Amino acid sequence: MMNQILFAGVIGLFLTLVGTPLLIKLLARKGYGQYIRDDGPREHHAKRGTPTMGGIAFILATLIAYFLSKVITGAPITVSGLLVLGLMAGMGLVGFLDDYIKIVKRRSLGLRAKAKMAGQLTVGIAFAVLSLQFEDQRELTPASTKLSFIMDFGWTIGPVLFVVWALFMILAMSNGVNLTDGLDGLATGASVMVFGAYTFIGVWQYQESCADANTLINPEACFEVRDPLDLAVVAAALMGACFGFLWWNTSPAKIFMGDTGSLALGGALAGLAICSRTELLLALLGGLFVLITMSVVIQVGSFRLTGKRVFRMAPLQHHFELKGWSEVLVVVRFWIIQGMCVIVGLGLFYAGWAAEK
């Protein structure tokens, strides 16, 4: 059954390696190029016109890889997997509309803030509500109304507050990835690491599932997750697809993921965390996205309160560019930070499980 993880990852990788250059040619032929902020680092002006909306490549590759892995292995499709993929595709559609308007209107801003927020809220609410439905034979739904870190803990917040909490996570992560996507390959490489972590988490939860409590050494340390193996399949498909896309997105980027890709990746990360019952752990596993988002919050808050800026420019990656770091140097060092976050997060995940034994 676990060979579907391998198939999903390899197929996702192959499709983006082969399919992304075809998308680049199509977008370039139509003139769908990126518009660059005038107030950004001057070095970025050379990127004007680079094809954008590259998120289409890894969204389609992930969907194809997931379903094709099911056809090859004969494994069942689960509600949890479909919900995460649906959240990814829905957020990607909102991002696509934003990117498309930027290109057609020839401006650096796409959807109006209210329209963009309305789209994100619609997709997020649909995911949150549906994730509390579809009980399996153990009466488990894809999501839980309890808060979670390594697994669910005691506080039940109820369905209404859960929807609010899920929306916060979805909006925070999608906008966090969007803010991180400012340098070639930065958001893509960081996302590969987090999806790799969720592949491991899904496999571990499957092996230590409460569904098999009678065969476990210590049933008290089991995981109450509805479809852990299928979440690992989704994460592997995303990891492979992003890895292949990175070949074309790394410096100098031949294509940008655009809001199409960044909103989709953020939605997928939030969906995996919610359905795997590791909601608060995501803040550590995706630590780079949190750090960059907080730099914007600090910058805006400081300027409004004191009229002074903490950083030369926000998000944080541009601050270091203006300090003289090369783009590649910033990206590699930020990848190292993200790698450390993943290592610590997985260490806590294992330690939390071991502590229950």
Side-chain angles (χ1 to χ4, degrees):
M1 291 294 290
M2 290 189 19
N3 57 0
Q4 59 186 302
I5 296 174
L6 178 61
F7 280 119
V10 170
I11 293 170
L13 172 64
F14 174 78
L15 289 176
T16 47
L17 277 175
V18 175
T20 303
L22 300 178
L23 179 63
I24 292 172
K25 292 179 181 178
L26 175 63
L27 294 173
R29 190 180 306 125
K30 291 182 174 294
Y32 289 176
Q34 177 72 36
Y35 287 85
I36 305 298
R37 290 169 52 182
D38 292 329
D39 59 342
R42 286 177 297 177
E43 293 80 2
H44 288 208
H45 292 177
K47 301 180 182 183
R48 190 183 302 271
T50 302
T52 187
M53 296 194 293
I56 295 172
F58 56 73
I59 291 173
L60 292 178
T62 299
L63 293 172
I64 295 171
Y66 173 82
F67 289 109
L68 198 53
S69 71
K70 299 297 181 180
V71 173
I72 294 172
T73 62
I77 294 171
T78 70
V79 173
S80 297
L82 291 178
L83 282 173
V84 175
L85 292 172
L87 178 59
M88 174 195 71
M91 296 298 286
L93 177 60
V94 175
F96 173 81
L97 294 174
D98 189 45
D99 286 333
Y100 187 76
I101 291 173
K102 290 176 186 176
I103 294 167
V104 172
K105 299 292 185 180
R106 297 186 177 276
R107 64 190 192 195
S108 61
L109 296 176
L111 282 172
R112 301 297 180 187
K114 290 183 179 179
K116 189 173 183 179
M117 179 63 71
Q120 291 176 296
L121 288 175
T122 300
V123 175
I125 290 172
F127 169 82
V129 172
L130 290 173
S131 67
L132 293 178
Q133 314 302 319
F134 308 106
E135 289 185 349
D136 64 4
Q137 57 268 42
R138 293 184 293 146
E139 299 183 349
L140 285 179
T141 55
S144 167
T145 55
K146 292 183 178 181
L147 294 177
S148 61
F149 181 53
I150 305 301
M151 54 184 69
D152 285 346
F153 53 82
W155 302 341
T156 300
I157 59 177
V160 175
L161 285 180
F162 167 77
V163 171
V164 175
W165 169 238
L167 279 175
F168 171 77
M169 287 189 62
I170 293 167
L171 293 175
M173 286 309 302
S174 59
N175 288 299
V177 178
N178 184 252
L179 290 171
T180 304
D181 183 36
L183 302 182
D184 294 352
L186 179 57
T188 308
S191 297
V192 167
M193 299 182 205
V194 187
F195 290 130
Y198 271 109
T199 303
F200 171 83
I201 287 172
V203 171
W204 193 269
Q205 289 178 333
Y206 173 70
Q207 292 177 337
E208 301 294 330
S209 173
C210 294
D212 301 316
N214 293 331
T215 64
L216 299 179
I217 297 176
N218 187 354
E220 294 181 3
C222 66
F223 293 96
E224 286 283 10
V225 178
R226 190 188 190 280
D227 306 299
L229 183 60
D230 211 38
L231 294 176
V233 175
V234 172
L238 279 159
M239 178 179 63
C242 288
F243 212 178
F245 181 76
L246 184 60
W247 181 273
W248 305 102
N249 182 233
T250 194
S251 183
K254 300 294 189 295
I255 188 170
F256 299 137
M257 69 169 68
D259 282 15
T260 306
S262 60
L263 296 189
L265 292 181
L269 289 170
L272 286 169
I274 291 169
C275 291
S276 65
R277 315 291 174 87
T278 56
E279 296 158 359
L280 297 178
L281 184 63
L282 178 60
L284 184 52
L285 291 174
L288 180 64
F289 304 126
V290 175
L291 178 65
I292 288 176
T293 301
M294 290 306 300
S295 73
V296 175
V297 174
I298 292 170
Q299 184 85 326
V300 173
S302 175
F303 186 76
R304 288 183 176 178
L305 291 174
T306 67
K308 297 180 179 180
R309 293 179 172 86
V310 177
F311 308 105
R312 294 188 180 185
M313 185 178 179
L316 188 60
Q317 62 268 33
H318 298 317
H319 167 78
F320 289 103
E321 278 193 291
L322 294 179
K323 283 177 66 69
W325 291 19
S326 69
E327 180 174 2
V328 173
L329 181 62
V330 175
V331 170
V332 172
R333 287 182 173 173
F334 275 38
W335 280 352
I336 293 172
I337 293 172
Q338 176 56 46
M340 293 169 61
C341 290
V342 166
I343 290 170
V344 174
L346 288 178
L348 285 176
F349 174 79
Y350 178 80
W353 170 81
E356 296 290 331
K357 296 182 66 175

